[in-house]
Each structure stands twice: as structure tokens, then as C-alpha cells.
């Protein structure tokens, strides 16, 4: 069990040692985003920008123009939405080599409530030209994703989470930006998931097997560029895709998958995620359950959808 | 102090840049003359006397950097870069045209010599800070210059950046404020007063120098003074005249974002001392 933000902090340490061009910025949240470890080890390459996210993004852009590889870290809710125009005009448009890490993504922020639960960041980042959008499933993948983001030439948004999550992606899996993965076989339907919801999907699959439903899990750690081939294959082979994300069902993974399927290989797509509403305070477990994203709720819903589609 | 020969040379360059601004805006049919003309002396002094750039090697690592935060003044930047030899002057005829490198606002991926894409106001000072931090991290002695509009400092991000420049003691950063007192909707103090300007920058920890922004000696002296303060960023508040040099544009808010017609171009060229139809040079 490891939080993806912890893995991010560890990967930054490795990057700090290997590449002197890597710089890290934070907006007074370094203890939470886990960039503080980098600050401790490489103080001359860490800049705390205070509570000023817009300035942080602009400063990162300036560093990138001079050949640096800046990682700007803050909460997901601030990392994209609050500074959207700065990212659009100072980073994405000039295609600068800026990495933006949004920790505390999604509803599992928990008790802090709606103001701090980034549920729109993937949608906002995805619509920007030149932007790569990554949402790793577990600590190991977040570590590999951070290293790959540093190698990628251009802007990257890396979405991380607050809670500790189980390791579900085999540790020896190589991370390739834009390349999704089939985590098991299954012909009845496909669960297409991103972020830590992939762990939920895998657990739900076990429940479903007991009910006689064989579900495939396609994990998409990269929302952009999207692995369209893998989605089309799943659409053709299973006919029903259920998307799972800790994000609004509008504009994120669900929308991305629906776009690909509707244009390439029509199949039934159902989106599970946050409905069109803000979150609220509660424990991560309570919130996942309330909004239908717990293992139990997901498997129940998927079984129902499988039945409906079969009889339609 | 500049020699009289140096001063004459700068004046000659500035006159041609004003001419080019008028011609390119007339051809484009839209754009921003007022805030371009107010910056002619500042950018001419910087590019032809102060900053170290190589038009044949625009990406030369040790070059000085200039951030035009008020990106709508693209015509003056394009005029100066063309004159400096970054691209052929004839390209100026393509300003704002489909397929041109000269977009309505500067695009660093298209125009040699443009250090950062700008246009959405309030963002350039943060970027300049990033450049200055990069230079300092590398122990490099190139310098970063930023040019801000006076209306632009109404953007909150400017003050976030102002804190950062002082907090990180960016003595390798020199900024100019093009204090022409006007923005699209009127005089700055009427639209949303940023006054008192000098006191604000001082309070944010900057060295502040107030000058007349069309005076070459004042511009160059201020830059030299800013270089001597290695612990603090410097803001050179340059009092300028919006539309400077063109009789009917001077201090006229309406000329913020409007192109001159053929007749207005003719009058403008006369104001600059040209007697006949001119080409960009």
C-alpha cells in the first residue's frame, strides 16, 4: 500500500540525483504533495512559491525556456482549474517542458470536502493541445510515470492521490506514455479504468466472476494521448465498456472512451464516476460508497448493466 | 551617456521602427499601435545598445532574455527583431495573416528572437522570474528583461510575481513599466487605479527608478544602475506617451487597438518626416 503522491516524492529524489536540470516548485503544500523530500536534498533546485499557483506555473514556464525540467506541485483542484489560463497560454501553447503534478485528486481527498476535491482536472487538462495527461493506478506506477514524464519533451499533467492504495500493476511493467494495458482476459464486458479505480475494477472483477460475468479490465494510465487501439479492440470483442474514474463523468475518461468508441466501433458505453455534482466531506470509503465507486457498488452496477445490455 | 553619434543612430533606428509599425498595421488591418509606439525608444535602446543577442543564433544559451509581457505590443517587438536581423523585414507585411510567423500576439515557436509566447496579460513577469532563476542556478551571467504595461499591473499575478522576484533576490532581472497611463477603456486611474505605482513596487522590495521613457540616456542609465544592484530586482517606471510620434494617435485611447487607414498611414509617415510612400526596411 502506497499513496501515489508518496511515490511521486520518491521519484523526484531519483530524478534530482540523476538529472541536474530537474527543478521542483511547490505552492506551500510540499509536505502534502511530497515534494518536501526533494527540497531537503536539493535545496538550490527547489522553489517554494508560497500560496501563488499562477505565479508558480509562470515561473516553471520561464525555467523551461532555459532548458530546465520543472515539476510544479500542488493539489489537483488548484493545479489545473485555478491556473487554467496560465497553463494554457504560458505552458501548453508554447509547448514548454513543464510537468504539473496535481496531488489529492478526486473524491478520496475526503474530509476536506468539495472545495478541495479536484473532480474536473482531467477534463480541463485533456482539452488542452500539447498536454499529456497521466493518472497512475498505484505507487509503483506513479513512480515510473514520474520518471517517464521527466523524459517526455513537453507539458505533462500528472494526477496523484492522497490515500494509500494497493499495488495492482506488476512492478516489472514498463511505463509507456499513451499505452494502455489489458490486465486480464474477459469477453462479456470491459471495465475501462484510470487511476486507483483500476484497483477497484480488479476487485470488482472477482465479485463478478462469482456471479458468472467475465469482465476484462483495461487500465488507461494515460488519458492523452489515448490508446485508441486498445479501446476499439475491447469494444469489438466485448460490446460493452464501463468506464471507471474518480472524476466527473463529464470530460474525463468516460468521455474520452465514448468519443473513440462512437467514432470507430460503436458499442455500449456506460460511465461510472462522480455524477455532475460537487463532492462533500466524509471519509474516502464513505464517499466512494455514496457515489457508487466502492467495490461493492461497482460490481453491483456492472452486473446490472451487463444484464440490461444482454437483454436489450 | 551616449555619444551624439550613438544617439543619432538610435533615433534613426527608432524612426524606421515607427514607420514599420505604421505600415505593418495598415497592411494587417488590425492590431495595437498605441502601446507599440510608446515602447519604441525602450525596445530600441535595449536591442541596439544593451542586450546581448545573436540574430544568427537565436537559441544561443548565453543570450540575454527579453519578455514582452504586454504581448499586444507585438508590432514594436517584431519591428525591432526584424531590424536586428532575426528575420527579413518583408515578413512584417504578413503580420496577422494566415500562415504567417507573425501572429497577432508573439509566438515563441514561430518567431526567432521571441523568448516566450505572450498575449494573455499578467503572466510575463512570472516567466521572467523563472528565466532569472535558471540563470542564477546555472551561475550564468546573462540577464533577463521584462516589459510590462501599466494597465497590465491590474492583474493579480503580477503582484505574486513581484513578491517572488524580491523574495528570491533576483538582482539579474530588470523590468520596465510602460507607463503611458492608458488602457482600452480609458485612463488607468479611472478604469482601476493602480496608483501609487512607484510606492507599490518599492513596498514589494524592488529597486525603483523613474524615468522619461523616450529619453535614450535615461533608459540606458537606468539599466546600468539596475545592473549594479545585484540583490534586488529593478523596476524602471518609464513615463511614456501612448501613440508617441504620430500626431493623431498621441494620448488617444481610441488608438489602443485600431489600424491606420491608407490616409492615416500617409499622415503618420509625414509626422515621422517621410515625404513619400514607404516600404518596410
Amino acid at each position: 500500500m502506497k499513496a501515489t503522491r508518496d511515490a511521486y516524492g520518491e521519484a523526484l529524489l531519483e530524478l534530482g540525483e540523476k538529472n541536474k536540470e530537474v527543478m521542483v516548485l511547490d505552492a506551500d503544500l510540499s509536505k502534502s504533495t511530497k515534494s518536501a523530500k526533494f527540497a531537503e536534498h536539493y535545496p538550490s533546485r527547489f522553489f517554494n512559491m508560497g500560496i501563488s499557483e499562477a505565479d508558480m506555473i509562470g515561473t516553471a514556464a520561464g525555467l523551461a525556456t532555459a532548458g530546465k525540467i520543472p515539476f510544479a506541485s500542488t493539489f489537483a483542484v488548484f493545479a489545473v482549474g485555478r491556473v487554467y489560463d496560465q497553463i494554457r497560454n504560458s505552458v501548453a501553447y508554447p509547448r514548454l517542458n513543464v510537468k504539473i503534478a496535481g496531488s489529492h485528486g478526486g473524491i478520496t481527498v475526503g474530509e476536506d470536502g468539495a472545495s478541495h476535491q479536484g473532480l474536473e482536472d482531467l477534463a480541463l487538462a485533456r482539452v488542452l493541445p500539447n498536454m499529456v495527461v497521466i493518472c497512475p493506478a498505484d505507487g509503483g506506477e506513479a513512480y515510473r510515470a514520474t520518471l517517464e514524464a521527466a523524459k517526455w519533451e513537453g507539458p505533462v499533467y500528472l494526477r496523484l492521490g492522497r490515500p494509500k492504495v494497493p499495488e495492482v500493476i506488476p512492478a516489472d511493467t514498463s511505463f509507456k506514455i499513451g499505452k494502455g494495458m489489458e490486465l486480464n482476459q474477459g469477453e462479456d464486458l470491459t471495465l475501462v479504468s484510470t487511476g486507483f479505480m483500476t484497483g477497484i475494477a480488479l476487485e470488482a472483477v472477482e465479485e463478478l466472476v462469482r456471479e458468472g460475468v467475465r469482465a476484462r479490465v483495461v487500465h488507461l494510465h494515460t488519458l492523452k494521448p489515448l490508446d485508441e487501439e486498445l479501446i476499439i479492440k475491447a469494444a469489438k470483442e466485448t460490446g460493452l465498456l464501463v468506464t471507471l474514474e474518480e472524476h466527473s463523468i463529464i470530460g474525463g475518461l468516460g468521455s474520452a472512451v465514448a468519443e473513440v468508441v462512437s467514432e470507430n466501433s460503436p458499442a455500449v458505453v456506460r460511465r461510472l464516476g462522480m455524477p455532475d455534482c460537487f463532492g462533500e466531506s466524509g471519509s474516502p470509503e464513505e464517499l466512494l460508497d455514496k457515489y457508487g465507486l466502492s467495490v461493492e457498488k461497482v460490481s453491483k452496477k456492472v452486473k446490472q448493466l451487463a444484464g440490461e445490455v444482454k437483454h436489450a | 551617456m551616449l555619444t551624439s553619434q550613438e544617439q543619432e543612430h538610435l533615433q534613426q533606428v527608432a524612426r524606421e521602427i515607427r514607420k514599420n509599425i505604421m505600415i505593418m498595421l495598415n497592411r494587417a488591418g488590425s492590431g495595437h499601435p498605441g502601446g507599440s509606439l510608446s515602447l519604441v525608444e525602450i525596445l530600441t535602446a535595449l536591442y541596439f545598445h544593451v542586450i546581448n543577442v545573436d540574430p544568427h543564433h537565436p537559441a544561443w544559451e548565453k543570450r540575454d532574455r527579453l519578455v514582452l509581457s504586454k504581448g499586444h505590443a507585438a508590432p514594436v517587438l517584431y519591428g525591432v527583431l526584424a531590424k536586428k536581423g532575426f528575420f527579413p523585414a518583408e515578413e512584417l507585411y504578413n503580420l496577422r495573416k494566415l500562415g504567417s510567423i507573425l501572429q497577432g500576439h508573439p509566438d515563441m515557436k514561430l518567431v526567432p528572437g521571441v523568448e516566450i509566447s505572450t498575449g494573455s496579460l499578467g503572466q510575463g513577469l512570472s516567466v521572467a522570474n523563472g528565466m532569472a532563476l535558471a540563470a542564477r542556478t546555472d551561475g550564468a551571467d546573462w540577464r533577463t528583461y521584462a516589459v510590462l504595461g501599466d494597465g497590465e499591473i491590474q492583474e493579480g499575478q503580477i503582484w505574486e510575481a513581484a513578491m517572488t522576484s524580491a523574495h528570491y533576490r533576483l538582482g539579474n532581472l530588470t523590468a520596465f513599466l510602460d507607463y503611458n497611463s492608458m488602457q482600452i477603456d480609458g485612463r488607468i486611474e479611472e478604469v482601476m487605479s493602480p496608483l501609487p505605482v512607484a510606492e507599490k513596487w518599492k513596498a514589494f522590495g524592488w529597486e525603483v527608478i523613474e524615468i522619461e521613457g523616450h529619453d535614450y540616456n535615461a533608459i540606458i542609465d537606468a539599466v546600468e544602475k539596475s545592473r549594479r544592484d545585484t540583490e534586488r530586482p529593478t523596476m524602471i517606471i518609464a513615463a511614456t506617451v501612448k501613440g508617441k510620434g504620430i500626431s493623431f494617435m498621441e494620448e488617444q485611447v481610441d488608438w489602443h487597438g485600431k489600424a491606420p487607414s491608407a490616409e492615416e498611414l500617409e499622415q503618420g509617415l509625414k509626422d515621422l518626416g517621410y515625404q513619400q510612400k514607404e516600404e518596410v526596411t
Side-chain angles (χ1 to χ4, degrees):
Chain A
M1 295 281 279
K2 180 178 275 187
T4 50
R5 59 179 169 137
D6 281 313
Y8 168 70
E10 289 163 14
L12 288 182
L13 275 189
E14 180 178 332
L15 286 169
E17 192 189 333
K18 283 187 178 163
N19 189 341
K20 69 176 177 55
E21 304 298 354
V22 169
M23 318 279 254
V24 177
L25 301 90
D26 209 298
D28 195 38
L29 289 169
S30 65
K31 292 187 189 80
S32 300
T33 64
K34 303 301 176 184
S35 70
K37 278 186 191 165
F38 184 95
E40 211 177 286
H41 285 77
Y42 307 101
S44 66
R45 287 189 273 144
F46 175 83
F47 302 108
N48 201 326
M49 304 306 293
I51 309 165
S52 60
E53 295 79 10
D55 184 42
M56 173 170 74
I57 296 297
T59 305
L63 286 166
T65 65
K68 303 298 173 195
I69 307 173
F71 280 76
S73 339
T74 181
F75 287 176
V77 73
F78 309 133
V80 189
R82 187 178 177 109
V83 292
Y84 200 62
D85 188 54
Q86 283 75 17
I87 296 174
R88 181 186 189 276
N89 283 302
S90 290
V91 175
Y93 174 42
R95 200 175 183 170
L96 288 172
N97 200 17
V98 172
K99 319 302 169 187
I100 299 164
S103 76
H104 294 60
I107 193 83
T108 53
V109 165
E111 293 79 358
D112 272 354
S115 64
H116 282 57
Q117 293 161 346
L119 296 169
E120 312 84 17
D121 53 322
L122 298 175
L124 291 169
R126 194 170 74 87
V127 78
L128 288 171
N130 297 334
M131 184 63 79
V132 165
V133 182
I134 299 174
C135 185
D138 60 21
E141 191 171 74
Y143 193 93
R144 298 188 288 276
T146 307
L147 300 185
E148 287 304 308
K151 286 186 204 157
W152 183 269
E153 184 64 36
V156 174
Y157 175 61
L158 186 60
R159 193 217 221 193
L160 306 163
R162 172 174 177 255
K164 288 186 165 47
V165 294
E167 296 288 315
V168 295
I169 308 296
D172 59 353
T173 312
S174 71
F175 187 94
K176 192 163 182 301
I177 288 175
K179 194 82 189 136
M181 48 185 90
E182 279 176 2
L183 296 180
N184 64 354
Q185 300 301 307
E187 306 305 319
D188 293 339
L189 61 96
T190 305
L191 296 176
V192 186
S193 57
T194 192
F196 101 105
M197 287 305 295
T198 293
I200 303 275
L202 289 169
E203 284 190 60
V205 164
E206 290 175 26
E207 298 276 320
L208 289 165
V209 166
R210 285 193 273 277
E211 308 275 353
V213 179
R214 291 166 304 146
R216 176 184 305 185
V217 175
V218 166
H219 169 56
L220 298 175
H221 51 62
T222 310
L223 267 74
K224 191 180 182 181
L226 195 63
D227 191 342
E228 301 193 358
E229 210 176 304
L230 200 60
I231 296 168
I232 293 166
K233 178 171 177 274
K236 283 186 177 153
E237 291 176 359
T238 69
L240 168 60
L241 305 186
V242 181
T243 62
L244 282 171
E245 62 197 307
E246 192 194 359
H247 182 273
S248 168
I249 55 166
I250 299 172
L253 175 74
S255 296
V257 169
E259 287 159 16
V260 172
V261 170
S262 63
E263 287 186 350
N264 293 283
S265 178
V268 178
V269 175
R270 291 290 180 268
R271 298 165 298 153
L272 301 187
M274 279 297 284
D276 185 19
C277 69
F278 290 102
E280 62 186 292
S281 290
S283 74
E285 297 72 27
E286 287 169 332
L287 291 167
L288 286 171
D289 185 66
K290 171 161 182 179
Y291 292 99
L293 298 174
S294 61
V295 175
E296 190 195 343
K297 291 277 174 69
V298 166
S299 35
K300 202 170 154 192
K301 182 73 183 173
V302 171
K303 189 182 167 230
Q304 179 203 326
L305 290 172
E308 283 171 15
V309 170
K310 208 172 188 176
H311 298 111
Chain B
M1 285 286 279
L2 294 164
T3 63
S4 60
Q5 214 174 357
E6 285 171 328
Q7 192 145 336
E8 267 169 43
H9 173 65
L10 292 179
Q11 276 162 355
Q12 184 49 36
V13 170
R15 180 167 168 259
E16 286 189 53
I17 287 167
R18 283 206 163 86
K19 175 190 74 177
N20 290 347
I21 290 172
M22 291 297 286
I23 295 174
M24 74 174 104
L25 284 169
N26 167 258
R27 287 282 186 108
S30 66
H32 298 86
S36 294
L37 292 164
S38 62
L39 274 178
V40 171
E41 279 75 18
I42 291 169
L43 287 197
T44 301
L46 286 175
Y47 275 94
F48 290 86
H49 194 81
V50 176
I51 75 175
N52 204 7
V53 289
D54 180 356
H56 303 294
H57 302 96
W60 175 45
E61 279 186 16
K62 293 177 179 165
R63 72 194 185 278
D64 292 326
R65 268 66 162 184
L66 183 133
V67 172
L68 182 67
S69 191
K70 46 172 289 187
H72 56 281
V76 65
L77 181 62
Y78 296 159
V80 168
L81 292 176
K83 193 81 203 147
K84 192 77 185 168
F86 280 93
F87 54 85
E90 292 71 42
E91 191 61 36
L92 299 174
Y93 288 127
N94 299 325
L95 172 70
R96 291 175 168 249
K97 299 272 198 299
L98 188 66
S100 171
I101 63 167
L102 303 183
Q103 297 290 296
H105 294 79
D107 183 331
M108 69 180 285
K109 293 290 190 207
L110 298 178
V111 191
V114 169
E115 300 290 353
I116 178 71
S117 305
T118 51
S120 181
L121 292 174
Q123 303 187 20
L125 188 56
S126 299
V127 176
N129 284 340
M131 292 172 177
L133 281 169
R136 203 176 59 189
T137 305
D138 289 347
D141 60 3
W142 51 267
R143 200 169 177 81
T144 304
Y145 296 86
V147 178
L148 280 59
D150 51 0
E152 184 183 16
I153 65 173
Q154 292 160 352
E155 289 279 7
Q157 188 185 345
I158 290 291
W159 301 101
E160 295 182 3
M163 260 186 281
T164 297
S165 324
H167 179 82
Y168 284 109
R169 298 181 184 178
L170 297 178
N172 57 352
L173 171 68
T174 300
F176 279 86
L177 186 73
D178 179 16
Y179 198 175
N180 61 33
S181 302
M182 287 178 186
Q183 59 189 119
I184 297 177
D185 277 349
R187 297 193 62 82
I188 57 168
E189 67 273 21
E190 286 164 12
V191 175
M192 177 47 69
S193 177
L195 306 183
V197 174
E199 286 82 347
K200 281 195 176 69
W201 289 95
K202 283 178 195 161
F204 272 74
W206 287 58
E207 177 183 26
V208 173
I209 304 171
E210 294 180 83
I211 63 164
E212 201 276 291
H214 301 295
D215 177 340
Y216 293 110
N217 279 315
I219 295 165
I220 287 159
D221 285 351
V223 170
E224 280 171 8
K225 195 174 171 212
S226 81
R227 281 176 164 160
R228 288 196 290 270
D229 192 333
T230 55
E231 286 292 305
R232 281 189 301 171
T234 301
M235 176 54 75
I236 300 171
I237 299 176
T240 57
V241 174
K242 196 152 184 169
K244 174 75 174 177
I246 307 299
S247 57
F248 55 93
M249 288 184 174
E250 286 195 359
E251 303 209 32
Q252 296 300 312
V253 160
D254 288 348
W255 283 102
H256 173 89
K258 182 171 78 164
S261 65
E263 296 72 36
E264 286 160 342
L265 172 63
E266 200 178 327
Q267 177 60 49
L269 293 180
K270 270 188 201 155
D271 292 344
L272 296 171
Y274 293 97
Q275 301 306 322
Q276 52 199 13
K277 194 169 154 50
E278 285 286 326
E279 298 294 315
V280 293
T281 46

